Amino acid sequence: MLSATTAKTGRDRVYQSGSFRRLGRETSLLSIFLALYCSQLMAVNFEPEMIAIPAGSSRMGANTGTSHERPVHRITLPAFELSKHEITRGQYRQFAKETGYRTDAERNSGGNQGCYAYQGGIRFGWTRGMSWRFAGFAQKDDHPAICISFNDAMAYVNWLSMRAGKQYRLPTEAEWEYAARGGSVDKFSFGNDEEEFCLHANGSDSNLKEIMPRWDQPVNVCADGHAFSAPVGSYQANDFGLHDMHGNAWEWTNDCWNDNYEEAPRDGTAWNSGNCSLRVVRGGGWSSEPWNLRPSNRKSSASTIRHFSLGFRIAKDL
């Protein structure tokens, strides 16, 4: 056993040799490296997964739809990127946590209280305190962010662009329909058979009818496994590799509203004229009947409107 004197001398030698000083420097460098690595990992993971959509030409609109979907015309688009999934609650939570942003629902904007949310039974209405955090039914962070206004979607896009150093944006209406079709010319991206719908989308169905027996709107003849919203990516992707282009959540686009396509751009760019107090929403949501889940279907909404199945996905130029 070492004597106290020997042990002290040994310790003195260690300190005098600088081993502990070197060890301290090495530990500090390791901590810095780990911090930088983790920050780089976060910089990769916070960005939604994007899918490259090939350049091409496609029909837009439908003669069998409403007057808003006519005239049917051909669009030709350059390649671009679109998020594989709708932006999730978890992704929106990260944005809200980092910036302190409060949504239109949380600020009671536009003369409405909270969000137009689910109130139980078959009741829906403006409800103070409801927002993307809770819209009247259970959601997890892998579900689509809903109760999101156009303003809220743009706030997220602007933050993401600054955070990532890339120019993210909302898709144009033409990009959205082109991507939703996935190269198909049928009624839906997967064909014309509504009985196949529950393999591809979350819309109104027998699961919803079980929860709301008095639901008086048309429902799909199948069961998609979810009465309300579903985790993103729960259903088969279309041929471009995109999920939930039919149903789950309505999605904002960047276009101003116009009643028809008479003067619509043919090159895939956003339509920045018309009634810009209204924006185009696409795709249908978890409570939508088959008619509203068609790729050609289009609706308008004021920029402060938010409701129980309204969300978004993002785009980027290549």
Side-chain angles (χ1 to χ4, degrees):
M1 178 180 291
L2 292 174
S3 67
T5 303
T6 305
K8 180 177 185 300
T9 303
R11 286 196 302 272
D12 288 345
R13 289 197 193 99
V14 170
Y15 278 106
Q16 289 166 3
S17 68
S19 297
F20 271 75
R21 288 194 295 274
R22 286 197 300 274
L23 181 60
R25 286 197 299 272
E26 289 166 1
T27 302
S28 297
L29 289 171
L30 178 61
S31 299
I32 293 169
F33 172 80
L34 287 173
L36 288 171
Y37 175 79
C38 289
S39 68
Q40 283 297 108
L41 196 61
M42 283 184 64
V44 171
N45 290 345
F46 80 88
E47 291 184 75
E49 184 177 356
M50 305 296 287
I51 298 290
I53 309 300
S57 182
S58 176
R59 182 194 78 195
M60 185 172 182
N63 287 321
T64 55
T66 68
S67 61
H68 301 317
E69 300 170 41
R70 298 195 288 270
V72 175
H73 56 288
R74 182 153 292 276
I75 52 173
T76 301
L77 297 82
F80 63 99
E81 290 186 345
L82 196 63
S83 57
K84 183 176 183 177
H85 305 115
E86 294 155 335
I87 299 303
T88 66
R89 291 177 75 248
Q91 289 163 337
Y92 206 83
R93 184 186 306 282
Q94 182 175 6
F95 153 65
K97 184 177 180 180
E98 284 195 17
T99 63
Y101 180 80
R102 297 175 67 235
T103 60
D104 279 333
E106 292 168 299
R107 292 184 288 111
N108 300 316
S109 300
N112 296 305
Q113 299 291 306
C115 177
Y116 194 88
Y118 179 56
Q119 298 177 327
I122 57 171
R123 299 187 310 275
F124 297 83
W126 290 103
T127 311
R128 188 179 183 88
M130 296 290 193
S131 70
W132 66 272
R133 299 177 189 276
F134 183 67
F137 52 88
Q139 283 191 301
K140 295 182 179 179
D141 276 357
D142 60 352
H143 285 233
I146 55 175
C147 284
I148 300 295
S149 71
F150 178 82
N151 298 333
D152 301 331
M154 288 299 295
Y156 174 89
V157 166
N158 291 336
W159 164 79
L160 183 63
S161 296
M162 291 184 62
R163 181 83 153 72
K166 303 172 186 176
Q167 288 300 309
Y168 287 101
R169 54 181 174 79
L170 292 179
T172 71
E173 185 179 10
E175 287 175 336
W176 193 97
E177 183 167 332
Y178 175 80
R181 290 186 181 280
S184 172
V185 296
D186 294 326
K187 184 177 179 181
F188 305 107
S189 65
F190 53 87
N192 296 307
D193 188 355
E194 291 183 5
E195 292 188 10
E196 295 292 315
F197 216 96
C198 292
L199 298 174
H200 302 270
N202 177 24
S204 65
D205 67 329
S206 58
N207 297 123
L208 179 63
K209 194 77 172 178
E210 288 174 11
I211 299 296
M212 306 180 202
R214 295 172 56 205
W215 185 260
D216 58 0
Q217 301 298 314
V219 298
N220 292 318
V221 295
C222 52
D224 60 37
H226 295 273
F228 301 106
S229 68
V232 299
S234 294
Y235 306 95
Q236 293 180 20
N238 70 10
D239 285 351
F240 284 159
L242 300 166
H243 293 267
D244 303 312
M245 297 299 285
H246 302 293
N248 216 18
W250 287 90
E251 299 176 14
W252 289 103
T253 70
N254 202 30
D255 292 51
C256 301
W257 176 255
N258 287 270
D259 286 337
N260 57 57
Y261 288 136
E262 290 292 347
E263 303 294 332
R266 267 44 174 184
D267 60 358
T269 56
W271 202 350
N272 291 319
S273 61
N275 185 352
C276 293
S277 66
L278 301 177
R279 298 287 173 165
V280 179
V281 295
R282 289 300 204 112
W286 58 262
S287 63
S288 297
E289 61 186 282
W291 175 262
N292 281 322
L293 297 169
R294 296 171 300 114
S296 59
N297 184 45
R298 57 197 298 263
K299 304 288 187 186
S300 64
S301 189
S303 59
T304 59
I305 291 295
R306 57 275 179 188
H307 65 68
F308 55 87
S309 64
L310 181 54
F312 70 109
R313 74 177 70 220
I314 60 172
K316 186 169 72 67
D317 293 334
L318 279 174

